[in-house]
Amino acid sequence: MTTVFATGAAGSLAPVVHAAEKTLSEEEAIALAQKQLKNLGEYKLLSAEFVDGIEMLWGNSIWYTKWSKENGRNFGVQQDAISGEIWVYEYRGEERELDTNQKKLTEDQAFQVATQFLKQVATEEQRSRLSKPNEYPDSDIFHTRDKPGIDVNFTRIENGIPFLENGFRLIVGYDGEVIYFERRWTEGKLPDASKVIEIAEAEKKWDEGATPTFLYKDMASSFRKESESYQLVYEFQRIDPQFVDAITGKMLDSYGQVAKERKIQPLGKIVPPTPTERKLITKEEAQKIAEQQLKKLPGTYRSNGRITESNSGSDEMSWFFEFISQPGDGEKSDTVIIAIDALGNLVHYSVNAKIRFNEESKKIEKGITWEQAQESARKLVQTFYSDQLGKIYAVDYVPREKRIKEIWENDEPYEIEFGYLINGKPVVDTIFQVDVDAETGEAVDLYNHFYNHGPSGDSSLPPKNEEAIDLNTANKVVKENKKLMLTYFHPKVRGSYGRDKMLEQPLLVYRYVGEKGLVTPDGKWHSFAEERKRNRRL
């Protein structure tokens, strides 16, 4: 194990932990924040808010405080509501421009700044179990930030094994101030490393089972947009087999579940022709389309005249039309909302949303299965998108049994996902969702607002890629650019109401460690880290 921190430093932070796990009062939280940030200069409190743990990634309740600094900057702080430890520290606003005579920080200088900051917010014992700065790549567990500066990542090391989802991530601004800090530290017992399989066996398991998806991905950066930048690449998706369980030798996906062979097949055969131009429609034309879509549903509906708009650009306009069903005697009417965007696409559907929102949640005693929910969602998609089923597929995913129980306990809907295909290959960032009532089995919501975020059309992309490398060659490229290592692994899983949560207990896995990236069809490695560095220099 390597570390850049010496033990025995004076004045180290000693978080307050109440014997009965008592939540800190607002005054106690503020005092602890001030103690940890005492070397940041003059600042004053702007506000304090308690946030329940259900809203947080790790399930910990926090105190969220906002502060104003003497140099005019504002920053926010998230503290654990019991220990007072700072989990997130973040400057608000843009990075300050440097004077022409000022030089940007070097990486070594950023490491020194980050190390000093950690002495304020991390205990001596925690600091003694950290890697060198940037010794291991940043993990997906940390939130992505586009702030300009130098990323500094300290990885937690336990028993000589790196824990990539644990540690501290900082961004040091080019003016020498920490503008972002995030702590990730799993409490409790870690899995026993004495019973792991040998690394040679793990490598064989990975070679046999690792399966990145061959898909279309937008390869343009946010700084360099191109007219058509989608390319076919090999990239691991969240439910692809990619890690080897170090105890059982089974292949796992990014949720930590035993991975299965993934099926990607269209819901039908019809593929609409590619439009020659992107023609924008009027509100009146959108209403006619909404009325035509309603005719696909059983029963009759009439408009109640309520129309709302959502506008984030000329071709991002959507109109939400509200309709009332015409029931028979003794039956209740339903309120249906259908949204049509400026290109004439159905992007949203909901039934009785206001009623459901105002109803008190109750535990579901007898609900439908996940498979039944998938079928209900599939029927709704087939109803509304019957003319394009040849380019829509159902995401082949089943949540953990514990998650199913949580859905019933909290009276949540099942969230069933679908995606788009081009020439039979999935397209990244075109996933849409259908919510199904877990008790009645009715598909109650459809969200497809990313309909137009994918490629402009089938004809603009190569119909085939005859010279593309095969899966085995793609995996060899991954292995050439990463290193197989035994690591602790703490995956994110689906939590309440769609929020990401952490799996209760971390795992031990063998995985290829290195900069994140993908493999292009010509067999070249594309590093996301290098791309991010290039963009920051632009």
Side-chain angles (χ1 to χ4, degrees):
M1 180 185 74
T2 54
T3 178
V4 294
F5 294 102
T7 59
S12 61
L13 171 68
V16 175
V17 181
H18 296 270
E21 297 293 296
K22 175 185 173 184
T23 300
L24 294 170
S25 67
E26 180 177 327
E27 291 75 17
E28 289 174 313
I30 291 170
L32 272 175
Q34 290 173 324
K35 180 178 180 181
Q36 295 173 73
L37 303 175
K38 61 185 178 182
N39 295 329
L40 293 184
E42 294 295 327
Y43 51 87
K44 62 179 181 180
L45 179 70
L46 297 177
S47 64
E49 176 187 5
F50 181 82
V51 181
D52 189 270
I54 192 173
E55 300 182 32
M56 306 306 295
L57 178 67
W58 288 55
N60 299 52
S61 296
I62 65 164
W63 278 102
Y64 178 56
T65 52
K66 294 181 181 179
W67 308 77
S68 176
K69 205 163 183 287
E70 59 182 351
N71 59 11
R73 283 178 164 179
N74 295 330
F75 61 91
V77 174
Q78 295 180 22
Q79 289 172 266
D80 186 282
I82 293 176
S83 70
E85 288 183 322
I86 290 179
W87 282 70
V88 176
Y89 165 93
E90 181 176 17
Y91 266 129
R92 302 297 181 183
E94 299 296 325
E95 171 71 356
R96 291 186 304 191
E97 294 290 335
L98 298 180
D99 296 336
T100 54
N101 295 328
Q102 288 180 295
K103 293 183 179 180
K104 289 185 178 180
L105 245 63
T106 65
E107 190 171 66
D108 285 341
Q109 289 172 327
F111 291 166
Q112 295 176 22
V113 172
T115 299
Q116 289 302 315
F117 188 90
L118 275 194
K119 290 180 179 179
Q120 299 173 230
V121 297
T123 66
E124 175 186 322
E125 192 270 341
Q126 289 170 343
R127 299 196 309 269
S128 70
R129 290 186 280 156
L130 295 178
S131 70
K132 294 179 180 178
N134 292 354
E135 183 176 357
Y136 300 97
D138 188 11
S139 171
D140 280 336
I141 209 67
F142 292 97
H143 302 298
T144 301
R145 289 290 184 271
D146 294 326
K147 294 179 178 295
I150 298 175
D151 294 335
V152 186
N153 186 50
F154 296 91
T155 300
R156 178 181 177 183
I157 307 290
E158 295 288 352
N159 306 311
I161 302 171
F163 194 159
L164 302 188
E165 286 74 34
N166 268 209
F168 305 96
R169 184 200 176 190
L170 302 92
I171 302 176
V172 181
Y174 293 125
D175 61 357
E177 289 196 59
V178 173
I179 58 177
Y180 185 77
F181 161 82
E182 187 169 359
R183 171 198 306 268
R184 290 290 175 250
W185 202 275
T186 301
E187 301 295 341
K189 187 177 180 180
L190 296 176
D192 183 4
S194 65
K195 299 179 181 180
V196 300
I197 62 176
E198 295 295 329
I199 191 168
E201 182 181 353
E203 182 176 18
K204 182 180 178 182
K205 296 282 188 183
W206 193 92
D207 290 343
E208 295 172 347
T211 312
T213 300
F214 194 40
L215 47 73
Y216 282 103
K217 185 180 180 71
D218 185 0
M219 297 295 287
S221 71
S222 58
F223 295 89
R224 297 178 290 103
K225 288 297 181 186
E226 302 170 17
S227 58
E228 188 57 78
S229 53
Y230 279 77
Q231 298 178 22
L232 276 168
V233 300
Y234 284 96
E235 184 182 35
F236 284 106
Q237 302 299 287
R238 49 189 182 167
I239 58 177
D240 287 339
Q242 52 199 285
F243 305 130
V244 180
D245 188 306
I247 307 296
T248 67
K250 294 181 179 180
M251 292 300 300
L252 306 178
D253 61 21
S254 69
Y255 292 124
Q257 295 189 126
V258 175
K260 62 178 183 178
E261 183 181 357
R262 188 177 174 193
K263 298 176 182 178
I264 300 177
Q265 55 188 29
L267 298 182
K269 295 181 179 180
I270 300 176
V271 177
T274 302
T276 56
E277 59 178 337
R278 292 165 62 91
K279 181 183 177 182
L280 302 182
I281 64 174
T282 64
K283 179 175 67 175
E284 292 71 25
E285 290 172 315
Q287 182 161 359
K288 290 181 180 179
I289 294 173
E291 291 168 352
Q292 289 298 316
Q293 290 284 10
L294 269 180
K295 292 179 181 179
K296 299 177 180 179
L297 300 176
T300 58
Y301 297 81
R302 64 172 176 81
S303 171
N304 67 2
R306 293 180 181 174
I307 304 173
T308 57
E309 297 180 354
S310 174
N311 186 6
S312 57
S314 60
D315 61 349
E316 299 287 341
M317 170 74 79
S318 295
W319 294 277
F320 292 74
F321 302 97
E322 194 167 302
F323 300 89
I324 304 296
S325 69
Q326 305 299 293
D329 293 339
E331 297 178 350
K332 293 183 179 180
S333 62
D334 293 325
T335 300
V336 170
I337 294 176
I338 288 183
I340 306 297
D341 72 5
L343 293 171
N345 305 307
L346 186 150
V347 294
H348 182 71
Y349 161 84
S350 69
V351 57
N352 296 331
K354 292 181 181 178
I355 295 175
R356 288 185 284 111
F357 180 79
N358 292 321
E359 283 181 341
E360 184 177 349
S361 295
K362 62 183 185 304
K363 181 179 179 180
I364 298 174
E365 298 295 341
K366 185 177 181 180
I368 64 169
T369 65
W370 178 263
E371 291 73 19
Q372 289 171 322
Q374 286 178 310
E375 183 59 27
S376 178
R378 185 190 299 266
K379 287 181 179 178
L380 186 71
V381 171
Q382 290 171 330
T383 297
F384 285 134
Y385 300 113
S386 58
D387 61 339
Q388 50 187 291
L389 296 179
K391 66 174 189 177
I392 298 176
Y393 72 99
V395 175
D396 187 18
Y397 169 74
V398 179
R400 297 171 184 272
E401 187 61 33
K402 182 176 181 180
R403 174 66 185 128
I404 300 293
K405 292 180 180 178
E406 186 181 52
I407 288 172
W408 286 28
E409 188 76 28
N410 297 330
D411 192 15
E412 297 179 56
Y414 287 120
E415 298 170 345
I416 311 299
E417 293 184 337
F418 298 84
Y420 281 92
L421 302 167
I422 295 292
N423 304 316
K425 301 293 189 299
V427 186
V428 175
D429 299 330
T430 60
I431 298 297
F432 66 96
Q433 175 180 313
V434 175
D435 286 356
V436 178
D437 189 298
E439 184 173 32
T440 67
E442 181 181 11
V444 293
D445 287 295
L446 182 151
Y447 305 94
N448 195 3
H449 295 281
F450 299 107
Y451 184 96
N452 292 307
H453 287 202
S456 60
D458 299 11
S459 62
S460 64
L461 295 169
K464 295 182 180 179
N465 200 321
E466 303 291 353
E467 300 180 1
I469 60 174
D470 60 18
L471 174 64
N472 289 334
T473 305
N475 280 348
K476 288 180 181 178
V477 175
V478 173
K479 295 175 66 171
E480 290 169 356
N481 288 275
K482 295 191 175 189
K483 179 181 179 182
L484 185 62
M485 296 183 66
L486 176 65
T487 74
Y488 292 105
F489 173 45
H490 204 163
K492 286 189 288 190
V493 296
R494 292 286 184 87
S496 300
Y497 306 101
R499 296 186 180 96
D500 282 339
K501 291 291 182 182
M502 302 307 301
L503 192 67
E504 284 190 355
Q505 297 296 327
L507 308 172
L508 263 172
V509 302
Y510 284 99
R511 53 175 150 174
Y512 276 91
V513 177
E515 296 292 355
K516 297 178 183 65
L518 51 80
V519 181
T520 54
D522 57 2
K524 294 182 180 178
W525 177 252
H526 180 91
S527 169
F528 297 153
E530 289 301 316
E531 179 183 355
R532 187 165 63 248
K533 290 178 182 178
R534 287 195 301 269
N535 289 337
R536 285 181 171 179
R537 290 195 293 264
L538 294 179

